[in-house]
Amino acid sequence: MILLTGGAIAFRHRISPLHALWLRAFGRATVAERLAEHGPAARARLGRNFASAGVEYPPLHFVLAVFKAERELHLFAAGPDREAKFVKAYPVHGASGESGPKLREGDRQVPEGCYRIDALHPNSRFHLSLRIDYPNEFDRARGAEDGRAELGENIFIHGGSASVGCVAVGDEAIEELFVLAVDGGIEKGRVILSPRDLRRQGDSPPPTSPPWTVRLYAEIERELAALPLPR
């Protein structure tokens, strides 16, 4: 697995169709090669969306908000004025589990909480992917309190249409998010995984959830409150 964990890099060159076919066949591409393959088309689409939102591309900061109940991923971005604006909504094609946080390896749950992108995977089985930093400090602390050791790991937003514990958004969408993450810098991005869009409707944790889930949902709701609703 090849991962990129550092800042903003823009690759504007193209690769030949034959080279692109070789990369898909053997799965040994670098991040730079994936950007050369998908960057021009993805940037063209993103450029139109960012222009409509009134945000310069690449943005100063960006947020990916995943709403499990609505099965949507919303992209928000901010320019020099630091005002977050809604840019685009992507359908979520695959996400296993139900409302409630991820508690252990193999529970098939998509996590819930506030995360960072900590790596890019240019050779994912699901086309391309962004890895989030689950379990984060909050997850590990709650696991220690509960006596849970095997929390799981390697949670991705990726292409394709099926997923177990991750979020599948389709190949074209992940091409855009992958290119955005590199052009903007993964350290400039945040990911909010929410049971639903808590700006529109509150949600009570499932009865089987740990007591601390109430506090988690309050934190997610505060983070979402700073983001505008789509018009």
Side-chain angles (χ1 to χ4, degrees):
M1 184 165 68
I2 302 172
L3 300 174
L4 174 74
T5 58
I9 306 174
F11 297 89
R12 302 290 177 178
H13 61 283
R14 296 173 182 266
I15 62 175
S16 69
L18 184 61
H19 190 185
L21 183 63
W22 184 91
L23 295 176
R24 284 191 289 271
F26 292 97
R28 297 174 183 171
T30 65
V31 168
E33 288 171 324
R34 290 302 187 204
L35 287 177
E37 182 180 2
H38 303 296
R43 290 190 185 99
R45 297 191 299 268
L46 287 169
R48 291 190 292 268
N49 296 130
F50 273 75
S52 296
V55 181
E56 294 181 7
Y57 183 88
L60 189 64
H61 298 286
F62 65 93
V63 179
L64 309 180
V66 176
F67 304 116
K68 293 164 74 171
E70 292 86 351
R71 297 182 72 83
E72 288 188 335
L73 183 154
H74 288 190
L75 167 61
F76 302 86
D81 62 2
R82 298 183 178 273
E83 179 184 356
K85 296 180 181 179
F86 172 78
V87 176
K88 188 173 184 177
Y90 300 92
V92 171
H93 298 296
S96 63
E98 302 173 346
S99 177
K102 183 174 184 63
L103 300 178
R104 59 185 60 85
E105 177 73 32
D107 64 6
R108 303 175 68 88
Q109 283 288 95
V110 174
E112 293 175 353
C114 302
Y115 298 95
R116 299 284 181 179
I117 301 167
D118 70 356
L120 305 180
H121 193 342
N123 297 302
S124 171
R125 290 190 299 125
F126 303 97
H127 190 40
L128 302 168
S129 62
L130 314 177
R131 191 178 71 183
I132 69 167
D133 67 339
Y134 173 89
N136 62 14
E137 184 177 351
F138 181 93
D139 298 316
R140 292 192 296 271
R142 302 293 80 74
E145 290 174 3
D146 298 344
R148 292 179 287 110
E150 300 298 327
L151 304 182
E153 59 183 355
N154 286 329
I155 302 298
F156 293 90
I157 298 170
H158 59 65
S161 60
S163 184
V164 177
C166 298
V167 178
V169 295
D171 289 355
E172 184 173 287
I174 197 60
E175 288 167 13
E176 294 182 13
L177 299 178
F178 188 93
V179 171
L180 167 65
V182 180
D183 286 352
I186 62 173
E187 73 282 359
K188 302 292 183 63
R190 291 189 295 127
V191 177
I192 302 172
L193 301 179
S194 179
R196 66 174 63 250
D197 190 343
L198 299 177
R199 299 167 300 175
R200 300 181 184 273
Q201 179 183 348
D203 200 2
S204 299
T208 55
S209 296
W212 50 259
T213 310
V214 173
R215 178 157 45 108
L216 174 63
Y217 280 20
E219 178 186 350
I220 294 172
E221 189 168 7
R222 284 193 299 272
E223 292 290 324
L224 290 174
L227 302 174
L229 288 166
R231 295 179 180 178

